[in-house]
Amino acid sequence: MTPAVRTTCPYCGVGCGVLASQKYGKVQIAGDPAHPANQGRLCSKGSALAETLGPEDRLLYPSIRGQRASWNEALTHVADGFSRIIREHGREAVAFYVSGQLLTEDYYVANKLMKGFIGTANIDTNSRLCMASAVAGHKRAFGADIVPGCYEDLELADLIVLVGSNTAWCHPILFQRIMKAREQRPNLKIVVIDPRRTPTCEIASLHLPVRAGSDVWLFAGLLSYLHEQGHIDSAFVAHHTTSASDALAVAHAQAGDIEVVARECGVDVARIREFYELFSRTECTITAFSQGVNQSSAGTDKVNSIINCHLLTGRIGKPGMGPFSVTGQPNAMGGREAGGMANMLAAHMDVTNAESQGTVQTFWNSPTIATGLGLKAVDLFEAIHDGRIKAVWIMATNPVVSLPEADRVREALERCELVVVSDCVAKTDTMAYAHVSLPAAGWGEKDGTVTNSERRISRQRAFLPPPGEAKPDWWIVCEVARRMGFGAAFDFESPRDVFVEHAALSGFRNYGTRAFDIGGLAELTRADYDALEPIQWPVFAPPRAALPKGTPRLAVNGRFYHPDGRAHFIATPPRGPANRTDDEFPLILNTGRIRDQWHTMTRTGRAPRLSDHLAEPYVDMHAQDALTAGVRSGELARVSTRWGSIVARLRTSGELARGAIFVPIHWSAANSSDARVGALVNPVVDAISGEPEFKHTPARVEPMRVEWYGALYVRDHPDSALAPDVTWWTRIRGNDFLRYEIAGREKLFSLGDAARAQREDWVRKLLGAPAKDSSYVDYEDAASGLYRAAHISGDRLVACVFLSVRPDMLPSREWLVGLLSKRRIDDNDRGGLLAGRPITSTADTGPLVCSCFRVGRATLANAIQCHGLETAAQVGERTRAGTNCGSCLPEISALLAGRRNPSKEEESSEI
Ligand code: SF4
């Protein structure tokens, strides 16, 4: 075993420390016990990181218009292309669209090139899609983009309010820290505010299933209630804040009546009152919020309505209390620090502030400086669409999948004169539109820093060589800058050189006026940088010979960053989402993440163990709404909005109220025929933050008429082999096989002899079976509309397919995964293949719950029933489920609760 390299997980904003080592050439991953964010734990995604490595699917070489090129040719082509377009059309005709997946060093050089040397602020980031409203809310309230608290506050609080956050799935290690705190202090209360009854609700003392978009009513109502009931820290308000009376006047006028709040939120008065009373009487309260708050046309007001309540009660800057924005991506906060957004300059300075412009230009010694706001993500792609922007460089992100109105984004790139895409993945929906493709180093290969949700800067360290000719993003940007004539300012030799310049800029002419100050790290040597321990900013320059120290909490002693040193209350008049439902589109579409996938699945989609929990694109809705729409659970449904449509499997999990639907964000054209949810989302944004309204698009659901459904398992297969007979498909990666869920419109049953022969011919080709000999077995029940076939070589199952007129007549996928994984199948297995079900009852473990140990729902239910298990710990002892990463613990708790109280078990139709 090689010595472990200490690095950081590349997925969510929790920013867990990871130990990466190698044994017999295989990468081993473990949680870093010394990292303060996770203290050794990793969730299902982090635990599977080793399975996402390797050269398969990677972009290995630069190319220009699909032809392999040398790095010099490709970089020169990019530099010349950008320079020419700037010469001919001006600097506002070019743009960068970057990513929270980039390291701070990558962000820093990209921002420096665009704002200080090209001279426009047209650089925005996909973090615009997840936390721009939190940034804008922080700046309005605090005068700076600060998260005042730290993760420890979640453990010190007596009340945790989780707003718009499925913490159990999206920030699992924080959720586990909360669960552990509750185990130790059963009086810790947890309130979940979310339109969906997500797995996070398994630990909720109170769940408020508010109507999507109604949060400002709830928190303006709380502000009014706190004031009326006298729960005010008058000294704090008087000495450390301004504008309380304006905010209170609006709150009293519009949300002062709890009946009105209850009606607007769609929650009964008693529950609202219970929440208000709990908040009022609990001093140590933390309100953690995430995309459910931010992704709204009123996202910034939502954030400020939460902060207002903490300011009125003085619950901020102290242990166990405060508003807490939990970021989505691993380096969303690092990007903000480096200025990688269209409305920032660098080091948290404002792009429109003349003094800041002078400070940054002087520090960079740059020929120019951006002086106006750049285009934010949605507007930026609109400007590409209408031809104002003629060259775009997209780094480490997949906007053709992830942006709202994603079909228009595709059109925009089709029209763009020069599209440069740097990424580590060869085939993404966005890469398909690249004129120049640049191979970037991926996680495990690149070196730099990231900042997590609690302002903690951690090192990501390389432990593998990049495959092919892949290079770090900071290097690629610097090489283009050199070729554009800016060599002296981009003469960095290592990420450490970039980092110390970034740190020095944060302290330059700061004088305590800017919250983001890591000047204490500006003198790091390479050895210091390599050994840098996780540290929370600000990090001030230490006295001589002392080590730099971080800062766990900000706003201590009521100090804020507006020129008056006070926090500002913001009046937040409640308003609904921009587009309302109507007869044509009567449902509210909500989008979000699932437990085991990350973004557009370019990495997590490679790990078989992450693919089985929720394997397919789905639309979740209330069972009654499904009935009204005429679609049954497990069938395919077409989801349409005014902006586009997709096809997904219908699910009725019991998580949604009537009138709402949920579709996950992860699927793309690279892994499914028709499931990019971005195509559905309205392009409405928050007027202040520019963050899109992903949580509220009017939609409708209709049946997708198909003649048959199928499950296909093959060892290798190009997607194109499915055409033309397969109308809809999705591909799921297994260990040593590919699984396809398929459906088609052509009749497959009750056929004449010729058509039957044709069908068999098609199936044999799908399975790669050379002829209808002993290696090919099949079975047809035409009356029931069933056809099964398998290709068996020796005793090994090579491929199989199951076709049926009804999806619920197809066999258990978990059982088939088991057969595909066997080296030799036996007579029972052969019999099962033809019977379409396992011959022995234990062979079907049911839908996967625990990814780490592949424990299915049937196994768990059986263990709970047969052994009378009462707690998750007992289930873990008996089945191992939940004993590694713990991501499945909420589902295990739900199963246990279902056994204790069968009426609690909602209808569940796992896919
Ligand atoms: S919670 Fe999971 S995905 Fe997030 S950083 Fe930690 S291990 Fe990675």
Side-chain angles (χ1 to χ4, degrees):
M1 178 98 89
T2 58
V5 172
R6 292 180 67 198
T7 184
T8 313
C9 176
Y11 298 128
C12 82
V14 179
C16 296
V18 170
L19 296 178
S21 53
Q22 293 185 53
K23 192 173 179 186
Y24 308 123
K26 282 188 84 175
V27 173
Q28 318 273 314
I29 293 294
D32 181 356
H35 197 289
N38 56 319
Q39 299 151 2
R41 306 177 187 101
L42 290 178
C43 76
S44 54
K45 295 183 283 288
S47 300
L49 273 165
E51 293 171 40
T52 67
L53 303 171
E56 207 184 330
D57 299 338
R58 291 291 301 273
L59 183 65
L60 299 174
Y61 308 103
S63 67
I64 302 171
R65 295 192 180 271
Q67 298 299 311
R68 184 169 168 178
S70 69
W71 265 112
N72 186 42
E73 288 165 337
L75 294 164
T76 305
H77 190 92
V78 174
D80 289 352
F82 268 73
S83 298
R84 179 186 58 76
I85 287 170
I86 292 166
R87 249 190 342 269
E88 290 174 4
H89 304 282
R91 59 186 65 164
E92 301 299 331
V94 300
F96 292 169
Y97 185 60
V98 299
S99 161
Q101 302 291 304
L102 292 179
L103 304 180
T104 301
E105 292 75 2
D106 307 324
Y107 257 120
Y108 180 81
V109 291
N111 186 55
K112 182 177 179 182
L113 174 58
M114 186 52 90
K115 294 197 180 126
F117 290 81
I118 292 175
T120 165
N122 283 344
I123 170 170
D124 210 38
T125 162
N126 65 4
S127 302
R128 178 74 58 196
L129 313 183
C130 70
M131 47 80 245
S133 297
V135 174
H138 292 157
K139 289 179 78 170
R140 288 205 303 183
F142 307 139
D145 175 20
I146 56 164
V147 173
C150 56
Y151 294 160
E152 190 193 25
D153 290 329
L154 292 163
E155 292 156 338
L156 297 174
D158 295 320
L159 169 63
I160 300 173
V161 185
L162 298 170
V163 197
S165 167
N166 182 7
T167 321
W169 280 15
C170 300
H171 299 96
I173 296 303
L174 279 192
F175 185 76
Q176 288 182 37
R177 287 181 70 162
I178 295 170
M179 278 174 81
K180 191 157 178 222
R182 232 245 320 235
E183 264 169 41
Q184 289 165 351
R185 289 188 298 122
N187 285 336
L188 167 61
K189 295 276 187 273
I190 295 157
V191 176
V192 176
I193 297 168
D194 195 314
R196 290 193 295 148
R197 194 177 70 80
T198 65
T200 302
C201 296
E202 289 307 322
I203 58 163
S205 324
L206 176 67
H207 172 214
L208 299 185
V210 296
R211 187 174 289 131
S214 64
D215 315 57
V216 178
W217 266 284
L218 184 71
F219 283 95
L222 175 60
L223 189 75
S224 172
Y225 182 91
L226 291 166
H227 185 240
E228 279 189 351
Q229 302 292 319
H231 298 287
I232 307 168
D233 184 336
S234 304
F236 182 87
V237 172
H239 295 115
H240 302 295
T241 71
T242 65
S243 313
S245 53
D246 297 347
L248 283 166
V250 168
H252 286 315
Q254 300 206 28
D257 182 344
I258 204 164
E259 304 270 352
V260 171
V261 172
R263 194 179 61 233
E264 293 294 341
C265 293
V267 178
D268 61 72
V269 173
R271 279 210 245 185
I272 303 266
R273 197 181 299 282
E274 187 182 346
F275 168 52
Y276 285 2
E277 285 173 2
L278 201 51
F279 195 102
S280 300
R281 66 171 184 261
T282 314
E283 179 70 3
C284 277
T285 294
I286 190 157
T287 308
F289 57 93
S290 196
Q291 273 87 332
V293 166
N294 297 332
Q295 292 179 332
S296 160
S297 59
T300 309
D301 277 356
K302 288 185 185 182
V303 172
N304 285 112
S305 69
I306 292 169
I307 294 173
N308 284 345
C309 297
H310 281 269
L311 293 179
L312 193 72
T313 48
R315 295 175 189 162
I316 190 165
K318 299 172 201 158
M321 54 184 90
F324 199 105
S325 153
V326 187
T327 50
Q329 298 197 74
N331 201 28
M333 196 182 283
R336 285 137 74 174
E337 293 154 15
M341 298 184 92
N343 51 328
M344 294 173 152
L345 196 44
H348 276 202
M349 282 180 266
D350 278 329
V351 72
T352 52
N353 179 298
E355 192 182 332
S356 298
Q357 292 158 11
T359 300
V360 177
Q361 189 172 10
T362 303
F363 183 85
W364 281 343
N365 191 21
S366 63
T368 180
I369 195 76
T371 55
L373 297 173
L375 293 168
K376 296 174 185 144
V378 171
D379 293 341
L380 191 152
F381 279 86
E382 193 52 37
I384 297 172
H385 195 276
D386 67 25
R388 278 174 289 148
I389 288 180
K390 297 176 189 311
V392 64
W393 183 351
I394 298 165
M395 302 180 200
T397 184
N398 202 356
V400 170
V401 184
S402 53
L403 274 171
E405 207 181 4
D407 287 347
R408 193 167 170 85
V409 172
R410 198 156 58 181
E411 271 175 27
L413 293 183
E414 268 167 1
R415 294 167 172 212
C416 190
E417 207 172 311
L418 176 59
V419 179
V420 180
V421 180
S422 42
D423 206 318
C424 52
V425 181
K427 287 187 182 157
T428 68
D429 291 23
T430 300
M431 192 64 86
Y433 297 90
H435 300 119
V436 184
S437 310
L438 304 173
W443 182 79
E445 301 149 12
K446 55 187 188 176
D447 239 322
T449 54
V450 290
T451 310
N452 72 3
S453 301
E454 58 167 355
R455 291 173 283 106
R456 192 178 295 280
I457 298 169
S458 297
R459 288 278 279 107
Q460 256 195 31
R461 295 182 175 91
F463 54 91
L464 292 170
E469 296 180 5
K471 295 282 189 189
D473 289 283
W474 69 267
W475 180 90
I476 301 172
V477 173
C478 290
E479 288 298 317
V480 169
R482 280 182 195 138
R483 284 164 176 78
M484 291 178 78
F486 311 127
F490 290 85
D491 203 15
F492 302 107
E493 288 182 359
S494 72
R496 171 261 169 198
D497 298 352
V498 180
F499 183 82
V500 294
E501 183 178 304
H502 164 59
L505 174 55
S506 74
F508 183 63
R509 296 181 185 168
N510 190 322
Y511 318 120
T513 56
R514 303 194 302 270
F516 179 67
D517 184 346
I518 56 168
L521 302 174
E523 302 292 327
L524 295 183
T525 63
R526 286 201 186 179
D528 296 334
Y529 180 72
D530 285 343
L532 184 67
E533 289 292 325
I535 190 167
Q536 285 170 285
W537 63 259
V539 186
F540 302 109
R544 190 180 293 274
L547 285 173
K549 283 204 176 70
T551 313
R553 285 182 193 86
L554 288 170
V556 177
N557 301 326
R559 199 212 149 205
F560 296 93
Y561 294 89
H562 283 296
D564 59 10
R566 291 167 177 251
H568 292 188
F569 280 85
I570 303 293
T572 57
R575 64 180 186 278
N579 287 304
R580 303 301 178 98
T581 54
D582 54 24
D583 290 347
E584 203 182 345
F585 297 100
L587 302 165
I588 298 168
L589 165 69
N590 181 1
T591 68
R593 294 177 183 165
I594 61 171
R595 191 189 79 185
D596 286 356
Q597 294 297 345
W598 177 256
H599 279 195
T600 60
M601 293 170 62
T602 51
R603 275 188 306 222
T604 46
R606 300 181 65 190
R609 75 161 117 155
L610 298 180
S611 298
D612 287 332
H613 180 240
L614 289 167
E616 292 181 89
Y618 66 84
V619 50
D620 198 355
M621 70 193 299
H622 193 281
Q624 288 291 328
D625 286 340
L627 210 60
T628 308
V631 195
R632 279 187 295 203
S633 182
E635 292 180 347
L636 289 177
R638 180 167 291 284
V639 187
S640 307
T641 70
R642 289 202 166 80
W643 295 270
S645 83
I646 64 164
V647 176
R649 188 81 66 182
L650 190 95
R651 187 170 186 247
T652 51
S653 70
E655 290 181 4
L656 286 135
R658 291 208 65 180
I661 60 173
F662 175 81
V663 180
I665 60 171
H666 308 289
W667 279 272
S668 69
N671 48 38
S672 191
S673 58
D674 194 6
R676 285 159 54 246
V677 72
L680 299 179
V681 175
N682 47 199
V684 172
V685 299
D686 179 284
I688 301 165
S689 70
E691 181 151 353
E693 188 145 71
F694 281 105
K695 301 295 186 192
H696 192 289
T697 304
R700 72 165 172 264
V701 172
E702 298 157 297
M704 165 78 182
R705 303 277 175 215
V706 291
E707 288 292 328
W708 56 268
Y709 289 86
L712 168 69
Y713 290 77
V714 288
R715 296 292 170 180
D716 197 12
H717 204 295
D719 299 333
S720 55
L722 300 171
D725 306 271
V726 173
T727 309
W728 182 91
W729 59 267
T730 191
R731 176 176 17 81
I732 302 130
R733 193 186 294 249
N735 271 318
D736 194 27
F737 62 86
L738 295 175
R739 164 184 161 196
Y740 287 88
E741 292 294 321
I742 51 180
R745 287 216 173 98
E746 296 295 318
K747 280 200 182 312
L748 283 186
F749 301 101
S750 306
L751 306 170
D753 286 349
R756 260 202 6 241
Q758 243 180 8
R759 181 194 64 199
E760 282 171 21
D761 200 39
W762 170 66
V763 170
R764 270 194 302 102
K765 280 196 190 124
L766 275 184
L767 301 188
K772 190 160 185 187
D773 59 16
S774 59
S775 73
Y776 180 81
V777 291
D778 66 347
Y779 169 86
E780 178 173 13
D781 177 350
S784 305
L786 286 167
Y787 183 76
R788 306 168 191 137
H791 174 206
I792 301 164
S793 176
D795 286 331
R796 183 168 182 253
L797 177 60
V798 178
C800 56
V801 68
F802 297 80
L803 306 170
S804 166
V805 289
R806 278 179 35 194
D808 58 352
M809 288 164 66
L810 294 170
S812 152
R813 311 304 193 271
E814 286 68 28
W815 166 61
L816 291 173
V817 167
L819 293 187
L820 268 288
S821 306
K822 283 184 166 182
R823 287 180 150 202
R824 301 163 69 94
I825 57 168
D826 58 24
D827 287 347
N828 275 343
D829 298 330
R830 284 172 189 263
L833 281 168
L834 290 184
R837 59 179 171 74
I839 300 294
T840 54
S841 61
T842 51
D844 184 6
T845 57
L848 192 76
V849 175
C850 170
S851 304
C852 297
F853 298 114
R854 295 203 63 84
V855 187
R857 176 181 280 255
T859 305
L860 290 169
N862 198 36
I864 291 169
Q865 184 71 32
C866 295
H867 301 285
L869 308 180
E870 300 275 344
T871 66
Q874 290 170 341
V875 172
E877 267 172 42
R878 177 70 53 178
T879 65
R880 299 177 77 199
T883 58
N884 184 39
C885 77
S887 297
C888 60
L889 287 172
E891 284 153 280
I892 294 172
S893 299
L895 281 171
L896 287 163
R899 181 175 181 269
R900 282 193 292 271
N901 177 8
S903 67
K904 260 195 94 179
E905 205 161 30
E906 302 276 353
E907 181 193 354
S908 177
S909 59
E910 298 296 334
I911 296 162

